[in-house]
Amino acid sequence: MADMQGLNIRKSPNRLIQDLDVFDGSSKDWNNPWSPHNARYLWQLHFSSVDSVEQNPYDFWCVCQKTRKHIRVQIQKEVDYPHIIEPEVEFTPPEQIVAYCLVKEAEQFNEHVEKNVPDLSELSRQWKSEDGKITVKVEWRNSYLDASCIKDIIDSRRPSFASLLSKKPASQQQVSQSSPSLYTTFSSLELFLRNVLFNNDHRSISAAPEGTFEKHVGRGPHIQKLMNILSFHFNSENTNFVPSIASEPLSNEQRINLTLARNELIILANNYREGSKDSLVPSPNATAKLARPYLISALNVPAYNSVAPMYTSIFHQNNASLPDDPAFIALGVTNDYPDELVCFFYHKQKENDPDNARIYVDAFAHIYNLRKTSLLKNQLQLEKKVGLVSSDAIQSAYTSLSLETEVSALAQNFKYTDKHILDTFWNSIQKHPESIRVQRENLETVACARNSKGLLEYLRSTYAIFYNVQEAYNWLGISPDTEDGMIASVALVKSEDDSSKAMEAIKCIAEERNSPVLYEFLASQDPSYLPQVPDTVMTTDDAYESLAVQDRDVSDDMLINVYTFAVEDQPERSDRLKSALKCIGESRNSKLIMHFLEHGNLDLPEEPPNLNVPVGLENTGNFCYLNSLLQYYFIIKPLRDAVLEINHNKDVSMIKTREAIKKVGGRSVNRIEFLRALQFTYELRSLFQQLITTKSSSILPSSKLAYLALIPLTMEQVNSTSSSVIHPMESNNTYTEIHQQSEQTGAPSNISGSTSTSDLINLAPLNNDEDTQMPYFDISEEEINSSLDLGRQQDVAECIDHVLFQIEVSLGPTKNDEGTDSSDEDLIRRLFYGKTKQTLHDDSQGTRSGEELYSHLIVDLYKERQTLYDVLDGVFETVTLDLGNETTKRSLCIKELPMILQLQIQRVQFDRSTGQPFKSNAYVEFGKELHMDHYVEDENGEMAPLLEKYWNMKQKIGELQHRRKFLMTTNSQLLSSVDTLTTLSTWADYQKNSRLPISKMLPQLLQEETEKIKMELEALAQEEQQKQEERMHLFDDHLKHSYDLLAVFIHRGQATFGHYWTYMRDLDTDVFRKYNDEYVTEVDESEVFADTTGNTANPYMLTYVRKDCRHIIECLSRNLDFSNENLK
């Protein structure tokens, strides 16, 4: 870009608002696009009063959440200017868009200016609209509270490094904990100022030792200094703080200063709110509102078709720093403005600041290079014709022509003559004739920049549609070896777009080939002749061959992708490729392909909902594993019904009692954990309802659901005694109790002249409308966005445990057979939990055993190929543990089996040599059925003989495998024993006639040994296979614990990244469906049970449902008229 000169930029409303986040009144960079544009301020509206009175939309104060600085925004509009913009305008005409220019010398803004107000002209800026009907004044104020004083107070509440290292007695620790929290200090001071400002309360505040003030605010010189800043001086005789502003009414400046201080205290209190543990101090009685909506309304931000919707959304929400490109800043717009408005403001900058037109065209060209749109390109072409060319384009043109850029071009003092430039141009195209069109464009750029009539005339007189035959081929989209007849056919098609250009291309090629066929075709285009061009028909085989697609079963969307890439790589074949895609689309009767060819997109018109296919879940980040899990829980009917009926199934006792505690999974769960879990279940209910009732093929889970599923409470939050999660019902009860106690005691509200902090803190009652659903655990969007890392993959096992735990916590106990509540009969326990029994035996302590609950069995991988029974054997086989002095035998069996058996395959392992995790891609063979009988406890000993035989056969199979592995072990040359002996035999046979002392019998002996090993390997393999089959059928007559395959969870990728999807089996139809985020498709079972050897896509969890519980699975549940009444 050109160097910046004194710019006078007309700013759009969006640009002015963005700049308010960057600059302040003392900044000199308001019109410098190249100054750093990193957001420093985050403005929120001042809290006007206790009752949160609505702000004046044309005169309001703001405070920065980060720096605690302030601005005041005042807008004056002429009487005839519309103050209310008509809502729901889709697009504001450019001529109605306000452009603001900076007033260099501040004019009188308001005639009614109060006297004795300090001069803030250096800290204020003023803008006017071009028509002069709108004036905007912005006044900046620094933080009123002394920063060093605030820092001293904060530092005084932190423990010193020495105290952390020393082990203090409990008594001393108790003293250190007596200081109020920072949140309590700042919120209490805010209440003092609120009383002064809005209740005209000028009473003294008692500061007696161990009194209310000291408990809620603190003591010491820092507190006294802060109180003095707040206009309260300390009276040592009466030990109280006396307001120094009590004698006279507050002046306007005093009121402003105290208001600034109050809002800064609110910011400080909110900054330390999370760490506060003093439940007696309420938060400021007002809701923080960002200033952005007021600025958008007051400054008349236009409605436009954004080219960057995410940018626009963030701009309106003001929830993140936005990237700023100097080019957009130079034109007074933001990055999301459409091309039409970019052009509009570009012209506006040129008209009002013609001396800097080159800077503005540089910015405009930079935006074109970012967007590459036709509208911006055409505008640049128009600018070129009037001699206004961007600096980058000039530099590039001179460089391409092997010339040094004429730096003095703007002064019309040129280094080169037109003849020299033209000669250089000709030399270039003689060396590289294929670059003639590009070089002509460069020559045109130089000619326009120099305003050279001679060069422009040369370009005009030598213009041709095609400068060589290759350009003709390229325009027709054919290769030089295309037959004449095909060329004529293509020309006919192209002539529909541009007949004269098509005929010029044929003429160019005909002359180069001297082709009678093409000459005849040209003659046939005379109106007196009818064209006689034979139709060419493309077969399906030709179409697939043209697209280089061998797999005829490739999906439509993949075929479209292949076509798109092929066109990008071979644009000259675009017509043939399009014909090939059309041919395949017609043969398949593909609506998607035909729609793409006609409209250029994949957005098929919405069709009537297909209620015979489950609904998919869209993926907004690395949440594919969460989508798989939610779909899995949805098909389990008792669980789905319980979630849908959470209003009746929730644990009411945990809501009513604040100190309530319940036992879940062997540990205590307090009320905060319960309310959070309940909120999660309500979010899950909303998702389940959408999965049932939506007409769409896919839906997007809420970000709140993802947050609650993935982000657990910290231990500090779990143990917190004060939290924002308290249900509104509790606030009403607390207020009622306090009110009743005060009526019974009849205590006066205040008997002294001092104001007690506790008098200022009230718990206001809230309406308890049973028909209004209140959040049990409120989470801000800011917290969700800051906590959810969309690019990071969460731990799947933790996610499964956390989701299941929250559902279990939120549900109340179900009824057992006797009709009484029983935690042992909770739904989650009955569905997923079983019980294992571990037995230890040694000589010193004999036999002892213990039982343990499990929700899933974790199985390890021992080799590259194994069956599911192999890995389960690894869990339940008896092992000997070496405990040093003696050995102990450990055995594990199943005491109880759940309705749904979940098997987690431990694929993520740790490499001790590299210190990094890695994923095992070992193949695990599994089937539709799973029999768990040989893992269940044999209480009566009936199965003992079979079990003993089962485990003995496993040991024998292990020995056979070990022997085979030994015989097949390779040496350093990667040769097995068979390969090695074969090689030696060949070498010995070759050395028969050599002088080496080698026995003539050696080759035969080696060959015989080789055959022996081969025979042994074959015998070992046969015996292993025979014993495996026999072992698998040992319990065929004793099958009592059988399961059917339900779901296969797949992960494709590495240990730290990848993609997840799930195959789920519809037990009613025995159909497998693939749940891959928003796509739910039926697949052949061969895909589910495929050998994944050498593939990173493999199962990481298998789930089976007990055969007598198949009825609890319902994969398809869609009903547009569904309501919770259907469950009843």
Side-chain angles (χ1 to χ4, degrees):
M1 289 188 179
D3 293 333
M4 184 195 70
Q5 302 173 17
L7 299 181
N8 187 15
I9 301 174
R10 265 53 178 172
K11 296 180 182 289
S12 66
N14 304 59
R15 180 73 265 147
L16 182 55
I17 291 174
Q18 279 286 89
D19 288 351
L20 288 176
D21 286 348
V22 179
F23 303 117
D24 54 30
S26 61
S27 175
K28 298 180 181 179
D29 292 327
W30 283 95
N31 283 332
N32 181 5
W34 291 270
S35 63
H37 274 69
N38 296 320
R40 296 184 297 182
Y41 303 116
L42 182 60
W43 302 111
Q44 80 175 35
L45 294 179
H46 272 195
F47 294 97
S48 58
S49 72
V50 179
D51 300 323
S52 298
V53 174
E54 194 67 28
Q55 297 277 2
N56 181 350
Y58 297 104
D59 186 355
F60 50 89
W61 283 88
C62 311
V63 60
C64 177
Q65 293 180 353
K66 297 188 289 186
T67 65
R68 303 197 303 279
K69 288 188 177 183
H70 306 264
I71 59 170
R72 182 184 184 184
V73 181
Q74 296 173 279
I75 294 98
Q76 277 190 353
K77 299 183 179 181
E78 290 190 1
V79 178
D80 60 340
Y81 195 91
H83 280 240
I84 301 177
I85 304 300
E86 187 175 336
E88 304 300 332
V89 177
E90 293 184 3
F91 188 82
T92 304
E95 62 272 10
Q96 295 182 14
I97 296 178
V98 180
Y100 296 96
C101 54
L102 183 65
V103 179
K104 294 184 179 179
E105 295 183 2
E107 302 173 359
Q108 187 67 34
F109 185 77
N110 197 323
E111 297 179 359
H112 306 288
V113 178
E114 186 175 349
K115 297 180 179 180
N116 301 323
V117 174
D119 183 14
L120 298 172
S121 58
E122 293 186 359
L123 296 177
S124 65
R125 293 273 176 171
Q126 189 168 312
W127 290 268
K128 274 195 173 184
S129 60
E130 288 184 308
D131 58 8
K133 293 185 177 182
I134 304 177
T135 304
V136 180
K137 181 180 180 182
V138 181
E139 172 189 326
W140 282 264
R141 295 275 187 113
N142 289 325
S143 174
Y144 182 74
L145 299 180
D146 184 69
S148 62
C149 180
I150 297 298
K151 182 178 183 300
D152 290 340
I153 292 175
I154 294 172
D155 290 344
S156 67
R157 303 296 167 84
R158 295 172 177 164
S160 66
F161 182 70
S163 65
L164 291 175
L165 293 178
S166 64
K167 297 182 179 179
K168 294 184 177 181
S171 59
Q172 294 184 20
Q173 293 180 4
Q174 185 70 23
V175 172
S176 65
Q177 293 175 358
S178 62
S179 299
S181 67
L182 289 169
Y183 166 71
T184 305
T185 296
F186 294 131
S187 59
S188 299
L189 292 174
E190 183 272 333
L191 287 173
F192 295 154
L193 291 187
R194 194 192 315 173
N195 260 16
V196 171
L197 288 168
F198 304 116
N199 299 330
N200 200 25
D201 189 346
H202 298 293
R203 291 175 292 176
S204 299
I205 300 175
S206 173
E210 302 298 330
T212 303
F213 180 87
E214 187 172 308
K215 291 180 179 178
H216 288 82
V217 179
R219 63 181 178 181
H222 308 314
I223 295 296
Q224 290 186 18
K225 182 179 179 181
L226 181 58
M227 290 295 289
N228 190 45
I229 295 173
L230 299 178
S231 301
F232 287 87
H233 68 268
F234 182 68
N235 187 330
S236 58
E237 294 181 2
N238 298 329
T239 319
N240 61 2
F241 288 97
V242 180
S244 57
I245 53 177
S247 57
E248 297 181 2
L250 293 175
S251 67
N252 185 49
E253 186 62 20
Q254 287 176 329
R255 182 171 293 278
I256 288 176
N257 288 337
L258 291 182
T259 301
L260 301 183
R262 175 181 174 243
N263 281 273
E264 292 174 34
L265 287 170
I266 292 174
I267 295 294
L268 288 167
N270 286 334
N271 286 345
Y272 293 96
R273 181 174 184 178
E274 191 173 77
S276 172
K277 298 190 178 178
D278 190 346
S279 60
L280 296 178
V281 180
S283 60
N285 189 19
T287 303
K289 295 181 180 178
L290 292 176
R292 181 59 56 86
Y294 277 75
L295 291 169
I296 289 174
S297 175
L299 296 181
N300 294 77
V301 169
Y304 53 87
N305 296 325
S306 171
V307 298
M310 181 65 73
Y311 182 104
T312 308
S313 175
I314 294 175
F315 171 82
H316 281 268
Q317 297 171 7
N318 194 32
N319 60 3
S321 299
L322 287 169
D324 270 321
D325 191 295
F328 293 95
I329 300 170
L331 297 185
V333 296
T334 49
N335 298 26
D336 60 338
Y337 263 40
D339 292 347
E340 295 81 0
L341 295 186
V342 171
C343 292
F344 175 75
F345 272 89
Y346 165 67
H347 289 298
K348 191 173 290 294
Q349 310 305 340
K350 282 199 311 174
E351 293 170 3
N352 291 282
D353 193 9
D355 293 340
N356 290 306
R358 176 59 59 81
I359 293 178
Y360 298 125
V361 77
D362 282 352
F364 191 85
H366 180 72
I367 295 175
Y368 164 71
N369 289 330
L370 293 176
R371 295 186 177 180
K372 296 294 183 182
T373 55
S374 57
L375 179 61
L376 300 183
K377 182 178 180 180
N378 293 338
Q379 183 61 49
L380 282 175
Q381 293 292 337
L382 294 175
E383 298 298 318
K384 182 190 288 188
K385 291 180 180 179
V386 297
L388 195 54
V389 187
S390 71
S391 302
D392 290 342
I394 295 174
Q395 174 70 42
S396 176
Y398 273 91
T399 302
S400 297
L401 292 172
S402 301
L403 297 170
E404 294 183 5
T405 305
E406 296 176 291
V407 180
S408 58
L410 293 177
Q412 303 297 314
N413 184 18
F414 304 125
K415 179 178 180 180
Y416 304 111
T417 63
D418 287 353
K419 183 178 184 305
H420 179 80
I421 293 175
L422 196 57
D423 290 343
T424 304
F425 164 76
W426 273 109
N427 291 334
S428 174
I429 61 175
Q430 285 175 359
K431 293 179 181 178
H432 305 284
E434 72 281 357
S435 66
I436 182 173
R437 186 171 296 276
V438 174
Q439 292 295 50
R440 283 181 64 88
E441 292 178 358
N442 291 325
L443 183 61
E444 183 183 8
T445 298
V446 172
C448 292
R450 292 164 55 98
N451 195 22
S452 170
K453 295 181 180 179
L455 293 177
L456 291 173
E457 176 59 26
Y458 165 76
L459 290 169
R460 186 195 64 78
S461 61
T462 58
Y463 171 78
I465 297 178
F466 300 106
Y467 293 104
N468 53 48
V469 70
Q470 186 59 47
E471 286 192 344
Y473 286 127
N474 293 342
W475 187 82
L476 289 173
I478 57 178
S479 61
D481 58 355
T482 305
E483 296 180 356
D484 293 347
M486 180 60 70
I487 293 176
S489 300
V490 172
L492 278 179
V493 176
K494 297 288 284 185
S495 65
E496 296 179 1
D497 299 329
D498 191 333
S499 59
S500 61
K501 199 169 185 178
M503 294 304 104
E504 188 66 26
I506 292 295
K507 181 179 179 182
C508 182
I509 296 172
E511 291 175 351
E512 192 269 340
R513 291 187 174 191
N514 195 23
S515 168
V517 174
L518 295 180
Y519 283 138
E520 182 180 351
F521 170 75
L522 287 169
S524 68
Q525 298 308 300
D526 189 284
S528 60
Y529 294 94
L530 291 176
Q532 299 178 356
V533 180
D535 294 333
T536 57
V537 179
M538 179 179 290
T539 66
T540 306
D541 291 339
D542 293 336
Y544 280 106
E545 183 178 350
S546 297
L547 291 172
V549 174
Q550 297 179 354
D551 183 6
R552 301 294 179 93
D553 297 325
V554 67
S555 63
D556 291 349
D557 52 353
M558 181 59 71
L559 198 63
I560 292 172
N561 287 336
V562 171
Y563 162 78
T564 304
F565 291 138
V567 170
E568 292 177 357
D569 293 339
Q570 308 173 66
E572 69 279 1
R573 298 183 64 237
S574 59
D575 289 337
R576 180 167 182 80
L577 294 172
K578 185 174 183 180
S579 300
L581 184 62
K582 181 179 180 181
C583 177
I584 296 174
E586 291 173 347
S587 67
R588 292 186 175 190
N589 194 23
S590 169
K591 296 180 180 179
L592 181 63
I593 292 178
M594 303 312 292
H595 176 86
F596 172 78
L597 289 171
E598 182 176 355
H599 301 283
N601 59 60
L602 301 178
D603 301 327
L604 276 172
E606 184 176 353
E607 297 183 355
N610 183 2
L611 301 184
N612 294 320
V613 178
V615 179
L617 294 179
E618 297 168 17
N619 187 3
T620 59
N622 272 5
F623 300 151
C624 44
Y625 57 94
L626 178 59
N627 286 348
S628 298
L629 192 62
L630 296 176
Q631 293 278 26
Y632 166 60
Y633 288 143
F634 178 76
I635 70 171
I636 303 172
K637 191 174 186 302
L639 178 60
R640 182 178 70 224
D641 292 347
V643 171
L644 290 172
E645 281 290 285
I646 185 61
N647 275 338
H648 302 289
N649 295 333
K650 63 190 174 188
D651 196 338
V652 180
S653 64
M654 290 293 290
I655 299 179
K656 293 182 177 179
T657 307
R658 179 166 185 163
E659 293 78 16
I661 293 178
K662 68 185 296 186
K663 290 281 189 178
V664 175
R667 76 173 184 86
S668 299
V669 176
N670 66 19
R671 190 161 177 270
I672 291 178
E673 291 180 279
F674 166 75
L675 291 176
R676 190 185 194 274
L678 186 57
Q679 184 65 42
F680 166 77
T681 308
Y682 270 100
E683 295 293 332
L684 186 59
R685 179 186 71 167
S686 176
L687 178 74
F688 282 2
Q689 288 173 337
Q690 291 182 67
L691 287 172
I692 295 173
T693 61
T694 183
K695 294 181 180 180
S696 303
S697 61
S698 63
I699 60 174
L700 178 64
S702 70
S703 58
K704 184 178 290 187
L705 175 63
Y707 173 90
L708 292 170
L710 301 177
I711 309 298
L713 283 170
T714 63
M715 289 307 300
E716 181 181 357
Q717 292 171 323
V718 171
N719 298 327
S720 174
T721 58
S722 63
S723 174
S724 61
V725 302
I726 304 303
H727 193 267
M729 175 192 309
E730 182 181 292
S731 297
N732 290 339
N733 295 339
T734 306
Y735 173 79
T736 303
E737 293 172 5
I738 295 174
H739 183 66
Q740 289 174 352
Q741 290 174 7
S742 64
E743 287 184 347
Q744 292 172 2
T745 58
S749 60
N750 192 5
I751 59 176
S752 67
S754 297
T755 303
S756 170
T757 306
S758 59
D759 294 334
L760 300 175
I761 301 172
N762 293 318
L763 189 61
L766 298 172
N767 293 330
N768 185 18
D769 188 352
E770 295 182 358
D771 296 332
T772 303
Q773 256 191 17
M774 303 294 294
Y776 288 95
F777 192 93
D778 197 12
I779 314 165
S780 67
E781 286 297 327
E782 183 177 357
E783 182 178 357
I784 293 174
N785 294 335
S786 63
S787 299
L788 283 181
D789 185 350
L790 301 186
R792 185 175 69 88
Q793 188 164 280
Q794 310 285 336
D795 185 272
V796 178
E798 289 181 5
C799 177
I800 293 172
D801 292 339
H802 188 48
V803 168
L804 208 58
F805 172 76
Q806 291 191 99
I807 298 175
E808 185 175 7
V809 167
S810 61
L811 295 176
T814 56
K815 303 293 183 180
N816 58 19
D817 295 338
E818 288 74 25
T820 60
D821 293 344
S822 171
S823 61
D824 292 335
E825 291 298 321
D826 284 350
L827 176 63
I828 301 301
R829 301 275 167 175
R830 288 189 286 112
L831 287 173
F832 301 105
Y833 278 79
K835 190 181 294 183
T836 58
K837 179 180 179 181
Q838 178 178 256
T839 303
L840 299 176
H841 178 79
D842 52 43
D843 295 336
S844 62
Q845 300 184 47
T847 302
R848 55 202 183 278
S849 62
E851 297 178 356
E852 184 178 357
L853 290 174
Y854 67 89
S855 61
H856 55 271
L857 295 175
I858 299 178
V859 296
D860 290 316
L861 301 173
Y862 299 97
K863 49 188 179 181
E864 285 304 309
R865 295 181 65 87
Q866 58 252 293
T867 67
L868 183 57
Y869 289 108
D870 290 334
V871 294
L872 283 171
D873 288 347
V875 177
F876 294 102
E877 67 179 337
T878 301
V879 296
T880 301
L881 306 176
D882 186 0
L883 302 180
N885 296 330
E886 62 179 347
T887 57
T888 299
K889 286 190 175 182
R890 182 188 69 86
S891 61
L892 187 70
C893 64
I894 293 178
K895 184 75 174 177
E896 295 178 10
L897 282 164
M899 292 183 178
I900 298 175
L901 180 63
Q902 302 181 130
L903 305 175
Q904 183 180 336
I905 302 174
Q906 193 67 26
R907 291 199 175 273
V908 178
Q909 301 176 17
F910 187 77
D911 188 339
R912 296 183 182 276
S913 62
T914 62
Q916 298 293 326
F918 70 95
K919 178 187 175 185
S920 170
N921 292 312
Y923 171 56
V924 178
E925 181 183 351
F926 60 94
K928 281 188 175 182
E929 291 185 324
L930 179 65
H931 306 293
M932 298 294 291
D933 299 84
H934 42 295
Y935 305 123
V936 176
E937 181 184 21
D938 183 21
E939 295 181 356
N940 302 322
E942 297 177 356
M943 305 285 288
L946 285 178
L947 287 172
E948 182 179 4
K949 186 176 182 181
Y950 178 85
W951 291 112
N952 288 339
M953 293 181 72
K954 175 178 173 57
Q955 183 178 356
K956 179 62 177 176
I957 291 172
E959 294 172 357
L960 295 173
Q961 292 173 341
H962 180 76
R963 176 62 179 168
R964 285 187 65 201
K965 183 178 180 182
F966 172 76
L967 294 176
M968 297 177 67
T969 301
T970 58
N971 57 18
S972 60
Q973 302 300 320
L974 300 181
L975 296 175
S976 66
S977 57
V978 172
D979 296 332
T980 302
L981 290 172
T982 302
T983 303
L984 282 174
S985 177
T986 303
W987 176 84
D989 187 60
Y990 181 77
Q991 298 295 334
K992 282 181 180 180
N993 300 323
S994 70
R995 296 180 180 180
L996 293 176
I998 298 176
S999 172
K1000 294 183 179 180
M1001 297 297 295
L1002 181 59
Q1004 182 179 352
L1005 293 174
L1006 291 172
Q1007 187 63 33
E1008 289 175 357
E1009 191 63 27
T1010 301
E1011 292 300 323
K1012 285 182 182 180
I1013 295 176
K1014 287 182 178 179
M1015 291 175 62
E1016 183 180 359
L1017 284 172
E1018 185 177 352
L1020 289 171
Q1022 291 178 354
E1023 185 177 0
E1024 180 185 346
Q1025 182 179 1
Q1026 177 184 354
K1027 290 192 176 297
Q1028 287 280 23
E1029 292 180 1
E1030 181 183 355
R1031 181 168 170 262
M1032 287 297 100
H1033 294 284
L1034 275 177
F1035 297 88
D1036 285 357
D1037 297 331
H1038 305 275
L1039 297 180
K1040 299 179 182 178
H1041 306 285
S1042 298
Y1043 284 80
D1044 285 322
L1045 180 64
L1046 176 58
V1048 182
F1049 292 79
I1050 302 292
H1051 173 264
R1052 181 184 63 211
Q1054 304 302 322
T1056 56
F1057 65 90
H1059 179 60
Y1060 295 83
W1061 68 84
T1062 306
Y1063 296 109
M1064 284 191 265
R1065 180 184 178 192
D1066 192 328
L1067 297 176
D1068 293 333
T1069 60
D1070 199 27
V1071 168
F1072 282 94
R1073 295 188 181 92
K1074 181 179 181 180
Y1075 291 74
N1076 189 4
D1077 289 332
E1078 64 265 37
Y1079 301 107
V1080 181
T1081 54
E1082 291 187 8
V1083 297
D1084 190 82
E1085 67 178 47
S1086 61
E1087 179 178 332
V1088 180
F1089 300 105
D1091 187 339
T1092 60
T1093 301
N1095 195 341
T1096 66
N1098 33 49
Y1100 71 91
M1101 190 167 78
L1102 305 170
T1103 67
Y1104 286 81
V1105 61
R1106 214 166 60 205
K1107 282 187 176 291
D1108 61 339
C1109 298
R1110 289 167 57 102
H1111 61 280
I1112 70 172
I1113 304 302
E1114 186 179 48
C1115 290
L1116 189 61
S1117 178
R1118 298 190 66 178
N1119 183 355
L1120 301 182
D1121 301 322
F1122 172 83
S1123 69
N1124 285 347
E1125 294 297 324
N1126 297 90
L1127 298 176
K1128 302 177 182 179

